[in-house]
Structures are given as structure tokens and as C-alpha cells.
Coordinates of all heavy atoms in Angstrom, one line a residue:
I1 N -40.4 158.0 -100.3 CA -39.2 157.3 -100.2 C -39.1 156.6 -98.6 O -38.8 155.4 -98.5 CB -37.9 158.0 -100.4 CG1 -38.0 158.6 -101.8 CG2 -36.7 157.4 -100.1 CD1 -37.0 159.5 -102.2
W2 N -39.4 157.3 -97.7 CA -39.2 156.9 -96.3 C -40.6 156.8 -95.8 O -41.4 157.9 -95.6 CB -38.4 157.7 -95.4 CG -37.0 157.8 -95.9 CD1 -36.0 156.8 -95.7 CD2 -36.4 158.7 -96.8 NE1 -34.8 157.2 -96.4 CE2 -35.0 158.3 -97.0 CE3 -36.8 159.8 -97.4 CZ2 -34.0 158.9 -97.9 CZ3 -35.9 160.5 -98.1 CH2 -34.7 160.0 -98.5
P3 N -41.2 155.7 -95.3 CA -42.7 155.5 -95.1 C -43.2 156.4 -93.9 O -44.3 156.8 -93.9 CB -42.7 154.0 -94.7 CG -41.7 153.4 -95.0 CD -40.5 154.3 -95.3
L4 N -42.2 156.7 -93.1 CA -42.5 157.5 -91.9 C -42.2 159.1 -92.1 O -42.5 159.8 -91.3 CB -42.0 157.0 -90.6 CG -42.3 155.7 -90.0 CD1 -41.4 155.2 -89.0 CD2 -43.7 155.6 -89.8
G5 N -41.6 159.2 -93.2 CA -41.2 160.7 -93.5 C -39.7 160.8 -92.9 O -39.3 160.1 -92.1
V6 N -39.1 161.7 -93.4 CA -37.7 162.1 -93.1 C -37.5 162.4 -91.6 O -36.6 161.9 -90.9 CB -37.1 163.1 -93.8 CG1 -35.7 163.6 -93.4 CG2 -36.9 162.8 -95.3
G7 N -38.5 163.1 -91.0 CA -38.5 163.6 -89.7 C -38.6 162.3 -88.7 O -38.1 162.5 -87.6
L8 N -39.3 161.3 -89.1 CA -39.5 160.3 -88.1 C -38.6 159.1 -88.4 O -38.6 158.1 -87.7 CB -41.0 159.8 -88.2 CG -42.0 160.8 -87.7 CD1 -43.4 160.3 -88.0 CD2 -41.8 161.1 -86.2
T9 N -37.9 159.2 -89.5 CA -36.8 158.0 -89.9 C -35.7 158.1 -88.9 O -35.2 159.1 -88.6 CB -36.5 158.1 -91.3 OG1 -37.6 158.1 -92.0 CG2 -35.5 157.0 -91.6
A10 N -35.3 156.9 -88.4 CA -34.1 156.8 -87.6 C -32.9 157.2 -88.3 O -32.7 156.9 -89.3 CB -34.0 155.5 -86.9
G11 N -32.0 157.8 -87.6 CA -30.7 158.2 -88.1 C -30.8 159.5 -88.9 O -31.8 160.1 -88.9
K12 N -29.6 159.6 -89.4 CA -29.4 161.0 -90.2 C -29.2 160.6 -91.7 O -28.8 159.3 -92.0 CB -28.2 161.8 -89.8 CG -28.5 162.2 -88.4 CD -27.3 163.0 -87.8 CE -27.6 163.4 -86.4 NZ -26.5 164.2 -85.7
L13 N -29.4 161.4 -92.7 CA -29.3 161.1 -94.0 C -28.2 162.0 -94.7 O -28.2 163.2 -94.6 CB -30.7 161.5 -94.7 CG -31.8 160.7 -94.1 CD1 -33.1 161.2 -94.8 CD2 -31.7 159.1 -94.4
L14 N -27.3 161.3 -95.4 CA -26.2 161.9 -96.0 C -26.2 161.7 -97.5 O -26.3 160.5 -98.0 CB -24.8 161.4 -95.5 CG -23.5 161.9 -96.3 CD1 -23.3 163.3 -96.0 CD2 -22.3 161.1 -95.7
F15 N -26.5 162.8 -98.4 CA -26.5 162.6 -99.8 C -25.1 163.0 -100.3 O -24.6 164.1 -100.0 CB -27.6 163.5 -100.4 CG -28.9 163.0 -99.9 CD1 -29.6 163.5 -98.7 CD2 -29.7 162.0 -100.7 CE1 -30.8 163.1 -98.2 CE2 -31.0 161.7 -100.1 CZ -31.5 162.1 -99.1
L16 N -24.5 162.2 -101.2 CA -23.2 162.3 -101.7 C -22.9 163.0 -102.9 O -22.0 162.8 -103.6 CB -22.6 160.9 -101.8 CG -22.6 160.1 -100.5 CD1 -22.0 158.8 -100.6 CD2 -21.7 160.9 -99.4
G17 N -23.8 163.9 -103.5 CA -23.6 164.7 -104.6 C -24.0 164.2 -105.8 O -24.8 163.3 -105.9
D18 N -23.7 164.9 -106.9 CA -24.1 164.7 -108.3 C -25.7 164.8 -108.3 O -26.4 164.0 -109.0 CB -23.5 163.6 -108.8 CG -22.2 163.6 -109.2 OD1 -21.5 164.6 -109.0 OD2 -21.5 162.5 -109.5
F19 N -26.3 165.7 -107.6 CA -27.7 165.9 -107.6 C -28.2 166.4 -108.9 O -29.4 166.0 -109.3 CB -28.2 167.0 -106.4 CG -27.3 166.8 -105.2 CD1 -26.7 167.8 -104.6 CD2 -27.3 165.5 -104.4 CE1 -25.9 167.7 -103.5 CE2 -26.8 165.4 -103.3 CZ -26.0 166.4 -102.8
V20 N -27.6 167.2 -109.5 CA -28.1 167.7 -110.8 C -27.8 166.8 -112.0 O -28.3 167.1 -113.1 CB -27.4 169.1 -111.2 CG1 -27.6 170.1 -110.0 CG2 -25.9 169.1 -111.4
D21 N -27.1 165.7 -111.7 CA -26.9 164.8 -112.7 C -27.8 163.5 -112.7 O -27.4 162.4 -112.7 CB -25.5 164.3 -112.8 CG -24.8 163.4 -113.7 OD1 -25.6 163.5 -114.9 OD2 -24.0 162.6 -113.5
R22 N -29.0 163.9 -112.6 CA -30.1 162.8 -112.5 C -30.9 162.7 -113.8 O -32.2 162.8 -113.6 CB -30.9 163.0 -111.4 CG -30.1 163.0 -110.1 CD -29.4 161.8 -109.8 NE -28.1 161.9 -110.1 CZ -27.2 160.8 -110.3 NH1 -27.6 159.5 -110.3 NH2 -26.0 161.1 -110.7
G23 N -30.4 162.9 -115.0 CA -31.1 162.9 -116.1 C -32.0 164.2 -116.2 O -31.4 165.2 -115.9
M24 N -33.1 164.1 -116.8 CA -33.9 165.4 -117.0 C -34.7 165.7 -115.7 O -35.5 166.6 -115.8 CB -35.0 165.1 -118.1 CG -34.2 164.7 -119.5 SD -33.1 166.0 -120.0 CE -34.0 167.4 -120.5
Y25 N -34.4 165.3 -114.6 CA -35.0 165.6 -113.4 C -34.0 166.3 -112.3 O -34.3 166.2 -111.1 CB -35.6 164.2 -112.7 CG -36.6 163.7 -113.6 CD1 -36.4 162.6 -114.4 CD2 -37.9 164.3 -113.7 CE1 -37.3 161.9 -115.1 CE2 -38.9 163.7 -114.4 CZ -38.7 162.7 -115.2 OH -39.5 162.0 -116.0
G26 N -33.1 166.9 -112.8 CA -32.0 167.5 -111.9 C -32.6 168.7 -111.1 O -32.4 168.7 -109.9
I27 N -33.5 169.4 -111.7 CA -34.3 170.5 -110.9 C -35.1 169.8 -109.8 O -35.0 170.4 -108.7 CB -35.1 171.3 -111.9 CG1 -34.1 172.1 -112.9 CG2 -35.9 172.3 -111.1 CD1 -34.8 172.7 -114.0
E28 N -35.8 168.8 -110.1 CA -36.7 168.3 -109.1 C -35.7 167.6 -107.9 O -36.2 167.7 -106.9 CB -37.6 167.2 -109.8 CG -38.8 167.7 -110.6 CD -38.1 168.0 -112.0 OE1 -37.1 167.9 -112.3 OE2 -39.1 168.4 -112.8
V29 N -34.9 167.0 -108.3 CA -33.9 166.3 -107.3 C -33.3 167.4 -106.3 O -33.4 167.4 -105.2 CB -32.7 165.6 -107.8 CG1 -31.8 165.0 -106.8 CG2 -33.4 164.3 -108.6
V30 N -32.8 168.5 -106.9 CA -32.2 169.6 -106.1 C -33.3 170.2 -105.3 O -33.2 170.5 -104.1 CB -31.5 170.6 -107.1 CG1 -31.1 171.9 -106.3 CG2 -30.3 170.2 -107.7
A31 N -34.5 170.6 -105.9 CA -35.6 171.1 -105.1 C -36.1 170.2 -103.9 O -36.2 170.8 -102.8 CB -36.9 171.4 -106.0
F32 N -36.2 168.9 -104.1 CA -36.5 168.0 -103.1 C -35.5 168.1 -101.9 O -35.8 168.1 -100.8 CB -36.7 166.7 -103.6 CG -37.0 165.7 -102.5 CD1 -38.2 165.6 -101.9 CD2 -36.0 164.8 -102.1 CE1 -38.5 164.6 -101.0 CE2 -36.3 163.8 -101.1 CZ -37.6 163.8 -100.5
L33 N -34.2 167.9 -102.3 CA -33.1 167.9 -101.3 C -33.0 169.3 -100.5 O -32.7 169.2 -99.3 CB -31.8 167.5 -101.9 CG -31.8 166.1 -102.4 CD1 -30.5 165.9 -103.2 CD2 -32.0 165.1 -101.3
I34 N -33.2 170.3 -101.2 CA -33.1 171.6 -100.6 C -34.3 171.8 -99.6 O -34.2 172.1 -98.3 CB -33.2 172.9 -101.5 CG1 -31.9 172.9 -102.3 CG2 -33.4 174.1 -100.8 CD1 -32.0 173.8 -103.5
A35 N -35.6 171.3 -100.0 CA -36.7 171.3 -99.0 C -36.4 170.6 -97.8 O -36.7 170.9 -96.8 CB -37.9 170.9 -99.8
Q36 N -35.9 169.3 -98.0 CA -35.6 168.4 -97.0 C -34.6 169.0 -95.9 O -34.7 168.9 -94.8 CB -35.2 167.0 -97.4 CG -36.3 166.3 -98.2 CD -37.6 166.2 -97.4 OE1 -37.6 165.8 -96.2 NE2 -38.7 166.6 -97.9
K37 N -33.5 169.5 -96.6 CA -32.5 170.2 -95.7 C -33.1 171.4 -94.7 O -32.8 171.6 -93.7 CB -31.3 170.7 -96.5 CG -30.2 171.4 -95.9 CD -29.5 170.5 -94.8 CE -28.3 171.1 -94.2 NZ -27.9 170.3 -93.0
L38 N -34.0 172.1 -95.5 CA -34.5 173.3 -94.7 C -35.5 172.8 -93.7 O -35.5 173.3 -92.7 CB -35.3 174.2 -95.8 CG -34.4 175.0 -96.7 CD1 -35.3 175.7 -97.8 CD2 -33.5 176.0 -95.9
K39 N -36.2 171.7 -94.0 CA -37.2 171.2 -93.1 C -36.5 170.4 -91.9 O -36.9 170.4 -90.7 CB -38.1 170.3 -93.7 CG -39.3 169.9 -92.8 CD -40.3 169.0 -93.8 CE -41.5 168.8 -93.0 NZ -42.4 168.0 -93.8
H40 N -35.4 169.7 -92.2 CA -34.8 168.9 -91.1 C -33.2 169.3 -91.2 O -32.4 168.3 -91.6 CB -34.8 167.4 -91.6 CG -36.3 167.0 -91.7 ND1 -37.2 167.1 -90.7 CD2 -37.0 166.8 -92.8 CE1 -38.3 166.6 -91.2 NE2 -38.3 166.4 -92.4
P41 N -32.9 170.5 -90.8 CA -31.4 170.8 -90.9 C -30.4 170.1 -90.0 O -29.2 169.9 -90.5 CB -31.3 172.4 -90.3 CG -32.6 172.4 -89.5 CD -33.7 171.4 -90.2
H42 N -30.9 169.5 -88.9 CA -29.9 168.7 -88.2 C -30.0 167.2 -88.6 O -29.2 166.4 -88.0 CB -30.1 168.7 -86.8 CG -30.0 170.1 -86.3 ND1 -28.9 171.0 -86.3 CD2 -31.0 171.0 -86.0 CE1 -29.1 172.2 -86.0 NE2 -30.4 172.2 -85.7
K43 N -30.7 166.7 -89.8 CA -30.9 165.4 -90.0 C -30.4 165.1 -91.4 O -30.0 163.9 -91.9 CB -32.4 165.0 -89.8 CG -32.7 163.5 -89.9 CD -34.2 163.3 -89.5 CE -34.4 161.9 -89.4 NZ -33.8 161.3 -88.2
V44 N -30.6 166.0 -92.3 CA -30.1 165.9 -93.8 C -28.9 166.6 -94.0 O -28.7 167.9 -93.7 CB -31.4 166.5 -94.6 CG1 -31.0 166.5 -96.1 CG2 -32.6 165.6 -94.4
F45 N -28.0 165.9 -94.7 CA -26.6 166.6 -94.9 C -26.3 166.3 -96.5 O -26.5 165.2 -97.0 CB -25.6 166.0 -94.0 CG -25.7 166.1 -92.6 CD1 -26.6 165.2 -91.9 CD2 -25.4 167.4 -92.0 CE1 -26.8 165.5 -90.5 CE2 -25.6 167.5 -90.7 CZ -26.3 166.7 -89.9
L46 N -26.0 167.4 -97.2 CA -25.6 167.3 -98.5 C -24.1 167.5 -98.8 O -23.6 168.5 -98.3 CB -26.5 168.3 -99.4 CG -27.9 168.4 -99.1 CD1 -28.6 169.5 -99.7 CD2 -28.5 167.1 -99.6
I47 N -23.3 166.7 -99.5 CA -22.1 167.0 -99.9 C -22.0 167.2 -101.3 O -22.6 166.5 -102.2 CB -21.2 165.7 -99.6 CG1 -21.1 165.5 -98.1 CG2 -19.7 165.9 -100.1 CD1 -20.2 164.2 -97.7
R48 N -21.4 168.2 -101.8 CA -21.5 168.6 -103.1 C -20.5 167.6 -104.0 O -19.3 167.2 -103.7 CB -20.8 170.0 -103.4 CG -20.7 170.5 -104.7 CD -20.2 171.8 -104.9 NE -18.6 171.7 -104.7 CZ -17.9 172.8 -104.8 NH1 -18.3 174.0 -105.0 NH2 -16.6 172.7 -104.8
G49 N -21.1 167.1 -105.1 CA -20.3 166.4 -106.0 C -19.6 167.2 -107.2 O -19.7 168.3 -107.2
N50 N -18.9 166.4 -107.9 CA -18.3 167.2 -109.1 C -19.1 167.8 -110.1 O -18.8 168.8 -110.8 CB -17.2 166.2 -109.9 CG -17.9 165.1 -110.5 OD1 -18.8 164.6 -110.0 ND2 -17.4 164.9 -111.7
H51 N -20.4 167.3 -110.2 CA -21.4 168.0 -111.1 C -22.1 169.2 -110.4 O -22.7 169.9 -111.1 CB -22.5 167.0 -111.4 CG -22.0 166.0 -112.5 ND1 -22.3 165.8 -113.7 CD2 -20.9 165.0 -112.3 CE1 -21.6 164.8 -114.3 NE2 -20.8 164.4 -113.4
E52 N -21.7 169.4 -109.2 CA -22.3 170.7 -108.5 C -21.3 171.8 -108.7 O -21.0 172.6 -107.8 CB -22.7 170.5 -107.2 CG -24.0 169.8 -106.9 CD -24.0 168.3 -107.4 OE1 -23.2 167.7 -106.9 OE2 -24.8 167.8 -108.1
T53 N -20.6 172.0 -109.9 CA -19.7 173.1 -110.2 C -20.2 173.7 -111.5 O -20.8 173.0 -112.4 CB -18.3 172.6 -110.4 OG1 -18.2 171.7 -111.6 CG2 -17.7 172.0 -109.1
R54 N -20.0 175.0 -111.7 CA -20.3 175.7 -112.9 C -19.8 175.0 -114.1 O -20.3 175.0 -115.2 CB -20.1 177.1 -112.8 CG -20.9 177.9 -111.8 CD -20.2 179.4 -111.6 NE -21.2 180.1 -110.6 CZ -21.1 179.9 -109.4 NH1 -20.1 179.1 -108.8 NH2 -21.8 180.6 -108.5
A55 N -18.5 174.7 -113.9 CA -17.7 174.2 -115.0 C -18.5 172.9 -115.7 O -18.5 172.6 -116.9 CB -16.4 173.8 -114.8
V56 N -18.9 172.1 -114.8 CA -19.5 170.8 -115.2 C -21.0 170.9 -115.5 O -21.4 170.6 -116.6 CB -19.3 169.7 -114.1 CG1 -20.1 168.4 -114.7 CG2 -17.9 169.3 -114.1
N57 N -21.8 171.5 -114.6 CA -23.2 171.6 -114.9 C -23.6 172.7 -115.8 O -24.8 172.7 -116.2 CB -24.0 171.6 -113.5 CG -24.0 172.9 -112.8 OD1 -23.8 174.0 -113.3 ND2 -23.8 172.8 -111.4
G58 N -22.8 173.5 -116.3 CA -22.9 174.5 -117.3 C -22.5 174.2 -118.6 O -22.7 175.0 -119.5
W59 N -21.8 173.0 -118.8 CA -21.3 172.6 -120.0 C -22.4 172.1 -121.0 O -22.5 170.9 -121.3 CB -20.3 171.6 -119.7 CG -19.4 171.3 -120.8 CD1 -19.1 171.8 -122.0 CD2 -18.3 170.3 -120.7 NE1 -18.1 171.4 -122.7 CE2 -17.5 170.4 -122.0 CE3 -17.9 169.3 -119.8 CZ2 -16.5 169.6 -122.2 CZ3 -16.8 168.5 -120.1 CH2 -16.1 168.6 -121.3
E60 N -23.0 173.2 -121.7 CA -24.0 172.8 -122.6 C -23.5 172.2 -123.9 O -24.2 171.1 -124.6 CB -24.9 174.0 -122.8 CG -25.7 174.5 -121.7 CD -26.4 175.7 -122.0 OE1 -25.9 176.8 -121.7 OE2 -27.6 175.7 -122.4
S61 N -22.4 172.5 -124.3 CA -21.9 172.0 -125.6 C -21.6 170.4 -125.5 O -21.7 169.7 -126.4 CB -20.7 172.8 -126.1 OG -19.6 172.6 -125.2
Y62 N -21.3 169.9 -124.3 CA -20.9 168.5 -124.1 C -22.3 167.9 -123.7 O -22.6 166.7 -124.3 CB -19.9 168.5 -123.0 CG -19.5 167.0 -122.8 CD1 -18.7 166.3 -123.8 CD2 -20.0 166.3 -121.8 CE1 -18.2 165.1 -123.5 CE2 -19.6 165.0 -121.6 CZ -18.8 164.3 -122.4 OH -18.4 163.0 -122.3
Y63 N -23.0 168.2 -122.7 CA -24.2 167.5 -122.2 C -25.4 167.9 -123.0 O -26.5 167.2 -122.7 CB -24.4 167.9 -120.7 CG -23.2 167.2 -119.8 CD1 -22.2 168.1 -119.2 CD2 -23.2 166.0 -119.5 CE1 -21.2 167.5 -118.6 CE2 -22.2 165.4 -118.7 CZ -21.2 166.2 -118.3 OH -20.2 165.6 -117.5
G64 N -25.5 168.9 -123.6 CA -26.6 169.3 -124.4 C -27.8 169.6 -123.5 O -27.7 170.3 -122.5
D65 N -29.0 169.2 -123.9 CA -30.2 169.4 -123.1 C -30.1 168.7 -121.7 O -31.0 169.1 -120.9 CB -31.4 168.9 -123.9 CG -31.7 169.6 -125.1 OD1 -31.3 170.8 -125.3 OD2 -32.5 169.0 -126.1
G66 N -29.3 167.8 -121.6 CA -29.1 167.2 -120.2 C -28.3 168.1 -119.1 O -28.2 167.7 -118.1
S67 N -27.6 169.0 -119.7 CA -26.9 169.9 -118.6 C -28.0 170.6 -117.8 O -29.0 171.0 -118.2 CB -26.0 171.0 -119.5 OG -26.8 172.0 -119.8
F68 N -27.5 170.8 -116.6 CA -28.4 171.4 -115.7 C -28.8 173.0 -116.0 O -29.8 173.3 -115.8 CB -27.6 171.5 -114.2 CG -28.6 172.0 -113.1 CD1 -29.7 171.4 -112.8 CD2 -28.1 173.0 -112.4 CE1 -30.5 171.9 -111.8 CE2 -29.0 173.5 -111.2 CZ -30.1 173.0 -111.0
R69 N -27.7 173.6 -116.6 CA -28.0 175.0 -117.1 C -29.2 175.0 -118.2 O -29.9 175.8 -118.1 CB -26.7 175.6 -117.6 CG -26.8 177.0 -117.9 CD -25.5 177.5 -118.2 NE -25.5 179.0 -118.3 CZ -25.2 179.7 -119.4 NH1 -24.9 179.2 -120.5 NH2 -25.2 181.0 -119.3
S70 N -29.0 174.0 -119.1 CA -29.9 174.0 -120.1 C -31.3 173.7 -119.6 O -32.3 174.1 -120.0 CB -29.6 172.9 -121.1 OG -30.4 172.8 -122.2
Q71 N -31.3 172.7 -118.6 CA -32.7 172.4 -118.0 C -33.2 173.6 -117.3 O -34.5 173.7 -117.6 CB -32.5 171.2 -116.9 CG -32.1 169.8 -117.6 CD -31.9 168.9 -116.4 OE1 -32.7 168.9 -115.4 NE2 -30.9 167.9 -116.6
C72 N -32.5 174.4 -116.6 CA -33.0 175.5 -116.0 C -33.6 176.5 -117.0 O -34.6 177.1 -116.9 CB -31.9 176.1 -115.1 SG -31.4 175.2 -113.8
K73 N -32.9 176.7 -118.2 CA -33.2 177.6 -119.2 C -34.5 177.1 -119.8 O -35.4 177.9 -120.1 CB -32.2 177.9 -120.2 CG -31.0 178.6 -119.7 CD -29.8 179.0 -120.6 CE -29.7 178.3 -121.9 NZ -28.5 178.6 -122.6
T74 N -34.7 175.9 -120.1 CA -35.7 175.3 -120.7 C -37.1 175.3 -119.9 O -38.1 175.9 -120.3 CB -35.6 173.8 -121.2 OG1 -34.4 173.7 -122.1 CG2 -36.9 173.2 -121.7
R75 N -36.9 175.1 -118.7 CA -38.0 175.2 -117.7 C -38.4 176.6 -117.3 O -39.6 176.8 -117.2 CB -37.5 174.4 -116.4 CG -38.7 174.1 -115.4 CD -39.5 173.0 -115.8 NE -38.8 171.9 -116.0 CZ -38.6 170.9 -115.1 NH1 -38.8 171.0 -113.9 NH2 -37.8 169.7 -115.4
F76 N -37.5 177.5 -117.1 CA -37.8 178.8 -116.6 C -37.7 179.9 -117.6 O -38.0 181.1 -117.3 CB -37.0 179.1 -115.3 CG -37.2 178.1 -114.2 CD1 -36.2 177.2 -113.9 CD2 -38.3 178.0 -113.4 CE1 -36.2 176.2 -112.9 CE2 -38.5 177.0 -112.4 CZ -37.4 176.3 -112.2
G77 N -37.3 179.6 -118.9 CA -36.9 180.7 -119.7 C -35.5 181.1 -119.6 O -34.9 180.8 -118.7
I78 N -34.9 181.7 -120.7 CA -33.4 181.9 -120.7 C -32.9 182.7 -119.5 O -32.1 182.4 -118.7 CB -33.0 182.5 -122.0 CG1 -33.1 181.4 -123.1 CG2 -31.5 182.9 -121.9 CD1 -32.9 182.0 -124.5
E79 N -33.5 184.0 -119.3 CA -33.0 184.9 -118.3 C -33.3 184.4 -116.9 O -32.4 184.3 -116.1 CB -33.7 186.2 -118.5 CG -33.3 187.3 -117.6 CD -34.0 188.8 -117.8 OE1 -34.2 189.0 -119.1 OE2 -34.3 189.3 -116.8
K80 N -34.4 183.9 -116.6 CA -34.8 183.4 -115.1 C -34.1 182.1 -115.0 O -33.6 181.8 -114.0 CB -36.5 183.2 -115.2 CG -36.8 183.0 -113.8 CD -36.5 184.0 -112.8 CE -37.3 183.8 -111.5 NZ -37.1 184.9 -110.6
G81 N -34.0 181.2 -116.0 CA -33.3 180.1 -115.9 C -31.8 180.1 -115.6 O -31.4 179.5 -114.7
I82 N -31.1 181.2 -116.3 CA -29.8 181.5 -115.8 C -29.7 181.9 -114.4 O -28.8 181.6 -113.6 CB -29.2 182.4 -116.8 CG1 -29.0 181.7 -118.1 CG2 -27.8 183.0 -116.3 CD1 -28.5 182.5 -119.2
S83 N -30.8 182.7 -114.0 CA -30.7 183.1 -112.5 C -30.9 182.0 -111.6 O -30.3 181.9 -110.6 CB -31.8 184.2 -112.3 OG -31.6 185.3 -113.0
V84 N -31.8 181.1 -111.8 CA -32.0 179.9 -111.0 C -30.7 179.1 -111.0 O -30.3 178.7 -110.0 CB -33.1 179.0 -111.6 CG1 -33.3 177.7 -110.9 CG2 -34.6 179.8 -111.4
W85 N -30.1 178.8 -112.3 CA -28.8 178.1 -112.3 C -27.8 178.8 -111.5 O -27.0 178.1 -110.7 CB -28.5 178.0 -113.7 CG -27.2 177.2 -114.0 CD1 -26.9 175.9 -113.9 CD2 -25.9 177.9 -114.3 NE1 -25.5 175.8 -114.2 CE2 -24.9 176.9 -114.4 CE3 -25.6 179.3 -114.4 CZ2 -23.7 177.2 -114.7 CZ3 -24.2 179.5 -114.8 CH2 -23.3 178.5 -114.9
E86 N -27.6 180.1 -111.5 CA -26.6 180.7 -110.7 C -27.0 180.7 -109.2 O -26.0 180.4 -108.4 CB -26.6 182.2 -111.1 CG -25.5 183.1 -110.6 CD -24.1 182.4 -110.8 OE1 -23.8 182.0 -111.9 OE2 -23.2 182.4 -109.9
A87 N -28.2 180.8 -108.8 CA -28.5 180.8 -107.4 C -28.2 179.3 -106.9 O -27.7 179.2 -105.7 CB -30.1 181.0 -107.3
C88 N -28.5 178.3 -107.7 CA -28.2 176.8 -107.1 C -26.7 176.8 -107.0 O -26.2 176.2 -106.0 CB -28.7 175.8 -108.2 SG -30.6 175.7 -108.3
N89 N -25.8 177.3 -108.0 CA -24.5 177.2 -107.9 C -23.9 177.9 -106.8 O -22.9 177.4 -106.1 CB -23.9 177.6 -109.1 CG -23.8 176.5 -110.3 OD1 -23.1 175.5 -110.2 ND2 -24.6 176.5 -111.3
K90 N -24.5 179.0 -106.4 CA -24.1 179.9 -105.2 C -24.3 179.1 -103.9 O -23.5 178.9 -103.0 CB -24.8 181.2 -105.1 CG -24.3 182.2 -106.1 CD -25.0 183.5 -106.0 CE -24.5 184.5 -106.9 NZ -25.2 185.8 -106.8
M91 N -25.5 178.2 -104.0 CA -25.8 177.4 -102.8 C -24.6 176.3 -102.8 O -24.2 175.9 -101.8 CB -27.1 176.8 -102.8 CG -27.5 175.8 -101.8 SD -28.8 174.9 -102.1 CE -28.4 173.9 -103.5
F92 N -24.3 175.7 -103.9 CA -23.4 174.5 -104.0 C -22.0 175.2 -103.5 O -21.1 174.4 -102.9 CB -23.3 174.0 -105.4 CG -24.5 173.4 -105.9 CD1 -24.7 173.4 -107.2 CD2 -25.4 172.7 -105.1 CE1 -25.9 172.8 -107.7 CE2 -26.4 172.0 -105.6 CZ -26.8 172.1 -106.9
D93 N -21.7 176.5 -103.8 CA -20.4 177.0 -103.4 C -20.1 177.0 -101.9 O -19.1 177.1 -101.3 CB -20.1 178.4 -103.9 CG -20.1 178.4 -105.5 OD1 -19.8 177.3 -106.0 OD2 -20.2 179.5 -106.1
C94 N -21.2 177.0 -101.1 CA -21.2 177.2 -99.6 C -20.5 176.1 -98.9 O -20.7 175.0 -99.2 CB -22.6 177.5 -99.0 SG -23.2 179.2 -99.6

């Protein structure tokens, strides 16, 4: 995305939420942003959106396979998927 990489790009980066609401790539988006935040903690900032709440991203009866909870269960299996989903939501709660 940034030709020089996040570390060499001028300025700071602010991501405005709804990370898990990116179609069927919510897990990849969250993983990428977490990795960038860990690698560049003073340069990358994440603001939680309304979809980073359990009530919205866990609403499988409304969002179906597109819900973040459903994506986690499909990708990691039911038990591990729910653990991944819960861990992501704990992070969003901070």
C-alpha cells in the first residue's frame, strides 16, 4: 500500500474503524492492522468503529456468513474460532 513501507512513510496513520466489516476479508484486515500497530506503535492508530462490538460483529442471524464471528468459526473451527473472535473483541474493548 505504501511504497516505502509504513515505517518510512511520512506522517502518522489513523484507521477509523469497521475493520471487521470488509466483506469476507475481515480477519485479514484485522491481522494486518494489528501487525502494523505492533510494529509501529507510535505511527499507527486504530479507532474502534460500531462494527467492532460483539453485538454487531457477532450477529450471525443478520449478517450470515459475512459476520466476523461466522468468518472466525469457518476459518478456525467452531471452538477455536469463537476464541479468536472473543480475543479480537477484548482487544477492541481496550
Side-chain angles (χ1 to χ4, degrees):
I1 296 175
W2 299 277
L4 299 175
V6 173
L8 296 175
T9 300
K12 297 177 180 180
L13 302 170
L14 175 63
F15 295 90
L16 299 175
D18 290 357
F19 315 123
V20 301
D21 186 23
R22 302 297 101 200
M24 298 307 287
Y25 297 101
I27 295 169
E28 289 82 358
V29 171
V30 170
F32 175 78
L33 292 174
I34 292 169
Q36 294 307 308
K37 179 64 179 170
L38 291 171
K39 192 171 180 182
H40 308 286
H42 301 294
K43 192 170 189 73
V44 173
F45 299 90
L46 309 173
I47 295 177
R48 181 178 80 177
N50 66 315
H51 285 244
E52 280 75 50
T53 63
R54 287 169 184 80
V56 175
N57 69 40
W59 195 3
E60 292 178 271
S61 63
Y62 183 78
Y63 291 105
D65 292 339
S67 78
F68 187 61
R69 186 171 195 242
S70 179
Q71 288 179 38
C72 289
K73 290 186 337 187
T74 299
R75 187 77 54 87
F76 301 109
I78 294 173
E79 187 176 320
K80 188 66 164 178
I82 291 173
S83 295
V84 169
W85 176 77
E86 185 61 37
C88 288
N89 278 290
K90 284 182 181 179
M91 178 194 65
F92 298 146
D93 290 343
C94 291

